[in-house]
Each structure stands twice: as C-alpha cells, then as structure tokens.
C-alpha cells in the first residue's frame, strides 16, 4: 500500500513554481475537439487527471501527443466520436465538459455519468437545461445521458447558480451555435477566462468572460490554436497555507496573486506576511496564528478547493474559528481525520467550528479525496512524529510530484510503500 509519510517539525523555505491549473487544462484540451487539426498546449500539469483526459480524447478519435513535460498536442479528427466510455468517465468529473464540444461537432453525445471526488451531491441539471434552451433534446439512461441536436441555437440562459462546469459547457456549445448566446450569472473563475482566451484564439467571438454576463456570438469555421495554461491558484494556495502553517518562508511563482486575493487576505489575517514578487508572491509565516472565519463561495470568494487546507491551518490558530462550506454538501470529510491527529473540530451542518491551537500527533489517516489528502499532508508537516496519509492516488489526480516538491522546500515527506497497519 502506498502512502505519504510525513515527519513533522520542519519550516518550509525556498521557491515553488506552480504548475498549470488542473481545472483549466482539462477543459482546454476538451475544447481542442471543436476544430479539426492540431492544437498545442504548454504549462500542462503532469497529473493523473490529465492522463485520464488524454485517454478519453483518444477514445473519441483524437491523437494526443505529449512530446515533452508540460506539452500536449491534441489532433482533433475530422469525425469525432460521440460516446464517452463509462470506465474512463467515472474517473474524471471534467469528462462532462465534453458534452459541449461533442454536440457542437457531431450533434449527438452520449455521456457516461462522470465520476471525480465524492463531495456529496454533484448535479448537472444546469448543464442540461442550458443545452435544452439551445435546442438540444435529452434522453436519460440508467447511468448515461444522451443529448442530440440538429444545430445548436443561441439562447439567453440564466444560471440559478454560478456553476463553473455549466458555464464552460455552455460556452463550448455556444461558440459554433447559430446566433448569440448570453449566459447570465456565469461563473467568474480565472479558469473560465483562460478557456475564453483559448476559444478566442480559435476564432470564437466571446465577450464578458470573468464577469457574470458572458456573450458568445456563434461563428463558423473555428481553427486549431495554441495556448499556455494559466497557473494553478489552488496549488499556489496549498503551498501558501503550508508556509503559514510551518512558520516558513516561500516564494511562490507561476501564478497571478490576484487569482488568490481573498485566500491571501485570510492568510494575512491568520498571521502571514505576503508580498508581491515578479511572477507571483512571497509568503512568510509567523509563530503566532490567530483564529478567523472563512466562508467558501464561487470566485472571487474563498475557493472551496482550499477549504480543507484552511481547516488544517486553523487547527493551529489561537481561538475559535468557523469555516462555512457553501459549495458542496459533502466536503467535510477532513474533519474526522484531523481529529484523529488531535485537532478539536465540531461540525454543525455546513459549518466547522475549530478550536485551537491543539497539539497534533502523527498517526495513520486516510486521504478521502484530492484536496483533503493534500490538507492532511500539510497537517502532517506540523504534527509531532510520523503521519501516514493513505490513498495518495487521490492527491496524484491534482498535484504533480507533491512529495518531491515539498521536499525541495525542506519538508520531510516521502511517497512510499507502507504496511497497511503501520509505517
Ligand atoms: N451544481 C448543480 N447543478 C449543476 C452544476 C452544479 O447543482 O448543473 C452544484 C454542484 O452540485 C455543486 C456546485 O453546484 O454543489 C458547484 O458546482 P460547479 O459546477 O461550480 O463545479 P464543477 O464544475 O463540478 C469545478 C472544479 C471543482 C471545484 C468547483 C468549484 C473541475 C474539474 N472541477 O467543479 O474542483 O471545486 O468547480 O470551484 O473544474 C477540485 O479541483 O478539487 C475540484 C473539486
């Protein structure tokens, strides 16, 4: 059995170069299917989810070359497949974003219900009702949906919630539709802006990405293009929390600090100093950490993907903190595992009440999903003795070389085989 084995007590120090964003790169390579020919991507993260997406695209008839680290070329075929295979789609939530490109190219898409982290209810009603408003018909199977359309038509779509995936799918469907599509209450995440940038380079006509009203005028004849993936704000935030937690000192580059404005404000309120540097920011943790309250919200709010790291951090802050999770109803799995390490955290509905600081003592814990797994590794950095985080494959889905990169900034973390019952 593999695990991250963490020996606590080191202060992190040095420089971290952030990878390209998982949640952008996955959508960008899917978007490449919109135009026959080769689209090239740089700054692609070397994570398990990207390799799964590569297999899905190949299964749909594309050729995907990865000639060197960080580079993908997607050769979109003249005829794109219309069905995603269940075993592949179940490994990846982002497979859902193929719905838009497949409908645009082939007029029909049968999607196996997507997998991804188990974070509670992950509906897709907004994706489907938006496509219906663009003229698509939907048939439901036991574990698939089929969407068909003669030609997508522009529509005025008002999302009831600023869903990242629904905004992306509707943009992808709208770029080749007849007429103009307006997406109101659109998600404003930097990954949406990145996707719009690539689609623009392919010849699409999109305005308003990054605001809550996106206007897409359908065009004929998109063409392949090249794009550099935006830096991963969640990975940057993970390292920033690690610096704060350990009283360390990191320079984090390859990311726009504006994409992390609220989390960095929170880290400063908890007790870190943050300064801009060329291409990123520097962060220095201090010994005394103060309690604070955090509320997760769509961008520009505090990202839910950093919520488990903040809970780990606040377990070491003096006083009572409250973290409120507004995006997922099942993203508090970290609480039980942190309590096993010695944290004092209570859950009340979608609030976590954290009393700190409490001494953490290493033991075996379980990475139940990607972000919780990363947060448990961070907790291990300040726990006494050895923390063993089982199920590292969840973390591999979204962080490239996590242990190696933490080691490069002075952490004592190894990814290794361990006995199921102990180290
Ligand atoms: N929702 C609906 N109906 C829909 C779509 C969403 O009810 O049609 C609900 C979901 O059930 C969920 C909430 O809206 O409670 C947020 O969903 P959203 O569509 O915004 O998220 P997503 O596109 O499924 C992406 C990221 C997540 C990240 C969220 C929020 C990818 C592949 N995933 O998911 O990333 O948490 O946006 O920022 O881009 C992660 O990286 O660890 C991760 C989970």
């Amino acid at each position: 059995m593999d695990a991250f084995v963490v020996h606590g007590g080191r202060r992190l120090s040095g420089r971290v170069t952030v990878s390209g964003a998982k949640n952008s790169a996955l959508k960008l390579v899917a978007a490449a299917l919109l135009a026959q020919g080769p689209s090239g991507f740089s700054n692609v993260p070397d994570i398990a989810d990207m390799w799964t997406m590569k297999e899905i695209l190949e299964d749909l008839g594309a050729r995907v070359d990865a000639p060197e680290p960080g580079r993908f070329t997607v050769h979109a075929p003249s005829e794109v497949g219309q069905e995603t295979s269940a075993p592949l789609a179940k490994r990846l939530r982002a497979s859902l974003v193929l719905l838009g490109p497949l409908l645009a190219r082939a007029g029909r898409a049968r999607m196996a219900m997507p997998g991804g982290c188990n974070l509670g209810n992950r509906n897709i009603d907004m994706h489907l009702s938006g496509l219906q408003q663009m003229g698509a018909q939907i048939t439901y199977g036991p574990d698939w949906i089929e969407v068909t359309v003669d030609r997508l038509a522009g529509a005025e779509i008002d999302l009831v919630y600023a869903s990242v995936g629904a905004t992306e799918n509707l943009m992808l469907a709208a770029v080749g539709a007849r007429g103009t599509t307006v997406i109101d209450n659109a998600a404003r995440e930097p990954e949406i802006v990145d996707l719009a940038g690539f689609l623009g380079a392919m010849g699409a006509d999109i305005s308003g990405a990054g605001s809550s009203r996106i206007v897409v005028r359908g065009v004929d004849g998109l063409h392949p293009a090249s794009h550099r993936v935006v830096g991963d704000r969640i990975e940057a935030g993970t390292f920033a929390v690690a610096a704060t937690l350990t009283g360390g000192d990191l320079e984090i580059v390859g990311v726009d600090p504006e994409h992390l404005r609220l989390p960095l404000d929170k880290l400063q309120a908890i007790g870190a100093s943050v300064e801009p540097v060329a291409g990123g920011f520097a962060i220095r943790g201090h010994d005394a950490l103060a309690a604070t309250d955090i509320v997760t919200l769509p961008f520009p709010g505090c990202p839910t993907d950093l919520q488990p790291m903040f809970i780990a951090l606040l377990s070491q802050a003096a006083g009572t903190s409250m973290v409120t999770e507004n995006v997922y109803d099942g993203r508090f799995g970290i609480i039980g595992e942190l309590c096993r390490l010695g944290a004092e955290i209570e859950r009340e509905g979608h609030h976590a009440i954290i009393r700190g600081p409490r001494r953490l003592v290493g033991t075996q814990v379980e990475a139940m999903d990607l972000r919780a797994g990363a947060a448990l590794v961070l907790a291990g950095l300040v726990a006494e003795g050895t923390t063993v985080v089982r199920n590292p494959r969840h973390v591999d889905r979204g962080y490239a070389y996590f242990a190696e990169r933490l080691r490069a900034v002075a952490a004592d973390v190894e990814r290794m085989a361990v006995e199921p019952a102990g180290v």
Side-chain angles (χ1 to χ4, degrees), residues 314-368:
L314 292 169
S315 76
Q316 300 308 296
T320 301
S321 303
M322 183 160 76
V323 172
T324 303
E325 172 58 50
N326 285 314
V327 180
Y328 294 112
D329 54 14
R331 200 174 219 176
F332 273 149
I334 180 112
I335 294 177
E337 298 305 285
L338 279 176
C339 289
R340 283 162 44 71
L341 289 169
E344 187 182 335
I345 308 170
E346 248 173 77
R347 181 180 173 175
E348 284 177 22
H350 67 136
H351 305 293
I353 319 290
I354 305 141
R355 294 189 179 81
R358 295 290 179 270
R359 191 166 68 106
L360 303 187
V361 179
T363 185
Q364 277 212 13
V365 287
E366 178 90 16
M368 65 295 294

Coordinates of all heavy atoms in Angstrom, one line a residue, residues 314-368:
L314 N -6.2 26.3 10.6 CA -6.9 26.9 11.8 C -6.9 26.1 13.0 O -7.1 26.5 14.1 CB -8.3 27.3 11.4 CG -8.4 28.5 10.3 CD1 -9.8 28.7 9.8 CD2 -7.9 29.8 10.9
S315 N -6.6 24.8 12.8 CA -6.5 23.9 14.0 C -5.3 24.3 14.8 O -5.1 23.9 16.0 CB -6.4 22.4 13.6 OG -5.1 22.1 13.1
Q316 N -4.4 25.1 14.2 CA -3.2 25.6 14.9 C -3.2 27.0 15.3 O -2.3 27.6 15.8 CB -1.9 25.3 14.0 CG -1.7 23.9 13.6 CD -1.7 23.0 14.9 OE1 -0.8 23.1 15.7 NE2 -2.7 22.1 15.0
A317 N -4.4 27.7 15.1 CA -4.6 29.1 15.4 C -5.2 29.3 16.8 O -6.0 28.5 17.2 CB -5.4 29.8 14.3
A318 N -4.8 30.3 17.4 CA -5.3 30.6 18.8 C -6.7 31.1 18.7 O -7.0 32.2 18.1 CB -4.4 31.5 19.5
G319 N -7.7 30.4 19.4 CA -9.1 30.9 19.4 C -10.0 30.0 18.6 O -9.6 28.9 18.2
T320 N -11.2 30.4 18.5 CA -12.2 29.6 17.8 C -12.5 30.2 16.4 O -12.8 31.4 16.3 CB -13.6 29.6 18.6 OG1 -13.2 29.1 19.9 CG2 -14.6 28.8 18.0
S321 N -12.4 29.3 15.4 CA -12.6 29.7 14.0 C -13.9 29.0 13.5 O -14.2 27.9 14.0 CB -11.5 29.3 13.1 OG -10.3 29.8 13.6
M322 N -14.5 29.6 12.5 CA -15.6 28.9 11.9 C -15.4 28.9 10.4 O -15.2 30.0 9.8 CB -17.0 29.6 12.2 CG -18.1 28.8 11.6 SD -19.7 29.2 12.4 CE -20.0 30.8 11.7
V323 N -15.5 27.7 9.8 CA -15.4 27.6 8.3 C -16.7 27.2 7.8 O -17.3 26.2 8.3 CB -14.3 26.6 7.9 CG1 -14.3 26.4 6.4 CG2 -12.9 27.2 8.4
T324 N -17.3 27.9 6.9 CA -18.6 27.6 6.3 C -18.4 27.2 4.9 O -17.9 27.9 4.1 CB -19.5 28.9 6.4 OG1 -19.6 29.3 7.8 CG2 -20.9 28.6 5.9
E325 N -18.9 26.0 4.6 CA -18.8 25.4 3.2 C -20.1 25.6 2.5 O -21.2 25.1 2.9 CB -18.5 23.9 3.3 CG -18.5 23.2 2.0 CD -17.6 23.8 1.0 OE1 -16.4 24.0 1.3 OE2 -18.0 24.0 -0.2
N326 N -20.1 26.4 1.5 CA -21.3 26.8 0.7 C -21.4 26.1 -0.6 O -22.5 26.2 -1.3 CB -21.4 28.3 0.5 CG -21.7 29.0 1.7 OD1 -22.7 28.6 2.4 ND2 -21.0 30.1 2.1
V327 N -20.4 25.4 -1.1 CA -20.4 24.9 -2.5 C -20.8 23.5 -2.5 O -21.6 23.1 -3.4 CB -19.0 25.2 -3.2 CG1 -19.1 24.6 -4.6 CG2 -18.7 26.6 -3.1
Y328 N -20.3 22.7 -1.6 CA -20.6 21.2 -1.6 C -21.2 20.8 -0.3 O -20.8 21.3 0.7 CB -19.3 20.4 -1.8 CG -18.6 20.6 -3.1 CD1 -17.4 21.2 -3.3 CD2 -19.2 20.1 -4.3 CE1 -16.8 21.4 -4.5 CE2 -18.6 20.3 -5.5 CZ -17.4 20.9 -5.6 OH -16.9 21.1 -6.9
D329 N -22.1 19.9 -0.4 CA -22.7 19.4 0.9 C -21.9 18.3 1.5 O -22.2 17.8 2.6 CB -24.2 19.1 0.7 CG -24.4 18.1 -0.4 OD1 -23.5 17.4 -0.8 OD2 -25.6 17.9 -0.8
G330 N -20.9 17.8 0.8 CA -20.2 16.6 1.4 C -18.7 16.9 1.4 O -17.9 16.0 1.1
R331 N -18.2 18.1 1.8 CA -16.8 18.3 1.8 C -16.2 18.6 3.1 O -15.3 19.4 3.3 CB -16.5 19.5 0.9 CG -15.0 19.5 0.4 CD -14.6 20.5 -0.6 NE -13.7 19.9 -1.6 CZ -13.3 20.5 -2.6 NH1 -13.6 21.7 -2.8 NH2 -12.4 19.9 -3.4
F332 N -16.7 17.8 4.1 CA -16.1 18.0 5.5 C -15.4 16.7 5.9 O -15.2 16.5 7.1 CB -17.1 18.4 6.5 CG -17.3 19.9 6.5 CD1 -18.6 20.5 6.8 CD2 -16.3 20.8 6.3 CE1 -18.7 21.9 7.0 CE2 -16.4 22.2 6.4 CZ -17.7 22.7 6.7
G333 N -15.1 15.8 4.9 CA -14.5 14.5 5.3 C -13.2 14.7 6.0 O -12.8 13.8 6.8
I334 N -12.6 15.8 5.8 CA -11.3 16.0 6.5 C -11.4 16.1 8.0 O -10.5 15.8 8.8 CB -10.6 17.3 6.0 CG1 -9.3 17.6 6.6 CG2 -11.5 18.5 6.3 CD1 -8.1 17.5 5.8
I335 N -12.6 16.5 8.5 CA -12.7 16.8 10.0 C -12.3 15.6 10.8 O -11.5 15.7 11.7 CB -14.1 17.3 10.3 CG1 -14.3 18.6 9.6 CG2 -14.3 17.4 11.8 CD1 -15.7 19.2 9.8
G336 N -12.9 14.4 10.5 CA -12.7 13.2 11.3 C -11.2 12.9 11.3 O -10.6 12.5 12.4
E337 N -10.5 13.0 10.1 CA -9.1 12.6 10.1 C -8.3 13.6 10.8 O -7.3 13.2 11.5 CB -8.7 12.5 8.6 CG -9.4 11.5 7.7 CD -9.4 10.1 8.3 OE1 -8.3 9.5 8.2 OE2 -10.4 9.7 8.9
L338 N -8.6 14.9 10.8 CA -7.8 15.9 11.5 C -8.0 15.6 13.0 O -7.0 15.8 13.8 CB -8.2 17.3 11.2 CG -7.6 17.9 9.9 CD1 -8.2 19.2 9.6 CD2 -6.1 18.0 10.0
C339 N -9.2 15.3 13.4 CA -9.5 15.0 14.9 C -8.6 13.8 15.3 O -8.1 13.7 16.5 CB -10.9 14.8 15.1 SG -11.9 16.3 15.0
R340 N -8.5 12.8 14.4 CA -7.6 11.6 14.8 C -6.2 12.1 15.0 O -5.4 11.4 15.8 CB -7.6 10.6 13.7 CG -8.9 9.8 13.7 CD -9.2 9.1 12.4 NE -8.0 8.4 11.8 CZ -7.5 7.3 12.3 NH1 -8.0 6.7 13.3 NH2 -6.4 6.8 11.7
L341 N -5.8 13.2 14.4 CA -4.4 13.7 14.6 C -4.3 14.6 15.9 O -3.3 15.0 16.3 CB -3.9 14.5 13.4 CG -3.6 13.8 12.2 CD1 -3.4 14.8 11.0 CD2 -2.4 12.9 12.3
G342 N -5.5 14.9 16.5 CA -5.5 15.7 17.7 C -6.2 17.0 17.6 O -6.3 17.8 18.6
A343 N -6.8 17.4 16.4 CA -7.5 18.7 16.3 C -8.8 18.6 17.0 O -9.4 17.5 17.2 CB -7.7 19.0 14.8
E344 N -9.3 19.8 17.4 CA -10.6 19.9 18.0 C -11.6 20.6 17.1 O -11.5 21.8 17.0 CB -10.5 20.6 19.4 CG -11.9 20.5 20.1 CD -11.9 21.2 21.4 OE1 -10.8 21.4 22.1 OE2 -13.0 21.6 21.9
I345 N -12.4 19.8 16.4 CA -13.3 20.4 15.4 C -14.7 19.8 15.5 O -14.8 18.5 15.6 CB -12.7 20.1 13.9 CG1 -11.3 20.6 13.8 CG2 -13.6 20.8 12.9 CD1 -10.6 20.1 12.5
E346 N -15.7 20.6 15.5 CA -17.0 20.1 15.5 C -17.7 20.5 14.2 O -17.5 21.6 13.7 CB -17.8 20.8 16.6 CG -18.2 20.1 17.8 CD -18.7 21.0 18.8 OE1 -19.8 21.5 18.6 OE2 -17.9 21.4 19.7
R347 N -18.6 19.6 13.8 CA -19.4 20.0 12.6 C -20.8 20.3 13.0 O -21.4 19.6 13.7 CB -19.3 18.9 11.6 CG -20.1 19.2 10.3 CD -20.1 18.1 9.3 NE -21.0 18.5 8.3 CZ -21.2 17.9 7.2 NH1 -20.6 16.8 6.9 NH2 -22.1 18.3 6.3
E348 N -21.3 21.5 12.5 CA -22.7 21.8 12.7 C -23.2 22.2 11.3 O -23.0 23.3 10.8 CB -22.9 23.0 13.6 CG -22.7 22.6 15.1 CD -22.8 23.7 16.0 OE1 -23.4 24.8 15.7 OE2 -22.2 23.6 17.1
G349 N -23.9 21.2 10.7 CA -24.4 21.5 9.3 C -23.3 21.8 8.4 O -22.3 21.1 8.3
H350 N -23.4 23.0 7.7 CA -22.3 23.3 6.8 C -21.3 24.2 7.4 O -20.5 24.9 6.8 CB -22.9 23.9 5.5 CG -23.6 25.2 5.6 ND1 -23.3 26.2 4.7 CD2 -24.4 25.7 6.5 CE1 -24.1 27.3 5.0 NE2 -24.7 26.9 6.1
H351 N -21.2 24.2 8.8 CA -20.2 25.0 9.5 C -19.2 24.0 10.2 O -19.7 23.0 10.7 CB -20.8 25.8 10.6 CG -21.9 26.8 10.1 ND1 -21.6 27.8 9.2 CD2 -23.2 26.8 10.3 CE1 -22.7 28.5 9.0 NE2 -23.7 27.9 9.6
A352 N -18.0 24.3 10.2 CA -17.0 23.6 11.0 C -16.5 24.6 12.1 O -16.1 25.7 11.7 CB -15.8 23.1 10.2
I353 N -16.6 24.2 13.3 CA -16.1 25.0 14.4 C -14.8 24.5 14.9 O -14.7 23.3 15.3 CB -17.1 25.0 15.6 CG1 -18.5 25.1 15.2 CG2 -16.7 26.1 16.6 CD1 -19.0 26.3 14.6
I354 N -13.7 25.3 14.8 CA -12.4 24.8 15.1 C -11.8 25.5 16.3 O -11.8 26.7 16.3 CB -11.5 25.0 13.8 CG1 -12.1 24.5 12.6 CG2 -10.1 24.5 14.0 CD1 -12.0 25.3 11.4
R355 N -11.4 24.7 17.3 CA -10.8 25.3 18.5 C -9.3 25.0 18.5 O -8.9 23.9 18.4 CB -11.5 24.8 19.8 CG -12.9 25.3 19.8 CD -13.6 25.0 21.2 NE -15.0 25.5 21.1 CZ -16.0 24.8 20.5 NH1 -15.8 23.6 20.0 NH2 -17.2 25.3 20.4
G356 N -8.5 26.1 18.6 CA -7.1 25.9 18.5 C -6.3 26.8 19.5 O -6.9 27.6 20.1
P357 N -5.0 26.6 19.6 CA -4.3 25.6 18.9 C -4.3 24.3 19.7 O -4.4 24.3 20.9 CB -2.9 26.1 18.8 CG -2.8 27.0 20.0 CD -4.1 27.5 20.3
R358 N -4.4 23.1 19.0 CA -4.3 21.8 19.6 C -3.0 21.1 19.0 O -2.7 21.2 17.8 CB -5.5 21.0 19.3 CG -6.8 21.5 19.9 CD -6.8 21.4 21.4 NE -8.1 21.9 21.9 CZ -8.3 23.2 22.3 NH1 -7.3 24.1 22.2 NH2 -9.4 23.6 22.7
R359 N -2.4 20.4 19.9 CA -1.1 19.7 19.5 C -1.5 18.5 18.6 O -2.4 17.7 19.0 CB -0.5 19.1 20.8 CG 0.9 18.6 20.6 CD 1.6 18.4 21.9 NE 1.0 17.4 22.7 CZ 1.5 16.2 22.9 NH1 2.7 15.9 22.4 NH2 0.8 15.3 23.6
L360 N -0.9 18.4 17.4 CA -1.2 17.3 16.5 C -0.1 16.3 16.7 O 1.0 16.6 16.8 CB -1.3 17.8 15.0 CG -2.3 18.9 14.7 CD1 -2.3 19.1 13.2 CD2 -3.7 18.5 15.2
V361 N -0.6 15.0 16.7 CA 0.4 13.9 16.9 C 0.2 12.9 15.7 O -1.0 12.5 15.5 CB 0.2 13.2 18.2 CG1 1.2 12.0 18.4 CG2 0.4 14.2 19.4
G362 N 1.3 12.6 15.0 CA 1.2 11.8 13.8 C 0.5 10.4 14.1 O 0.7 9.8 15.1
T363 N -0.3 10.0 13.1 CA -0.9 8.6 13.1 C -1.2 8.3 11.6 O -0.9 9.1 10.7 CB -2.1 8.5 14.0 OG1 -2.5 7.2 14.1 CG2 -3.2 9.4 13.6
Q364 N -1.9 7.2 11.4 CA -2.4 6.9 10.0 C -3.7 7.5 9.8 O -4.6 7.4 10.5 CB -2.5 5.4 9.9 CG -1.3 4.6 9.6 CD -1.5 3.4 8.7 OE1 -2.5 3.2 8.1 NE2 -0.4 2.6 8.6
V365 N -3.8 8.3 8.7 CA -5.0 8.9 8.3 C -5.3 8.6 6.8 O -4.4 8.1 6.1 CB -5.0 10.4 8.5 CG1 -5.1 10.8 10.0 CG2 -3.8 11.1 7.9
E366 N -6.5 8.9 6.4 CA -6.9 8.5 5.0 C -7.2 9.7 4.2 O -8.0 10.5 4.6 CB -8.2 7.7 5.3 CG -8.9 7.1 4.0 CD -8.4 5.8 3.7 OE1 -7.7 5.1 4.5 OE2 -8.6 5.4 2.5
A367 N -6.6 9.8 3.0 CA -7.0 10.8 2.0 C -8.3 10.4 1.4 O -8.2 9.4 0.6 CB -5.9 11.0 0.9
M368 N -9.4 11.0 1.7 CA -10.6 10.6 1.1 C -10.9 11.3 -0.2 O -11.8 10.8 -0.9 CB -11.8 10.7 2.1 CG -12.2 12.1 2.6 SD -10.9 12.9 3.5 CE -10.8 11.9 4.9

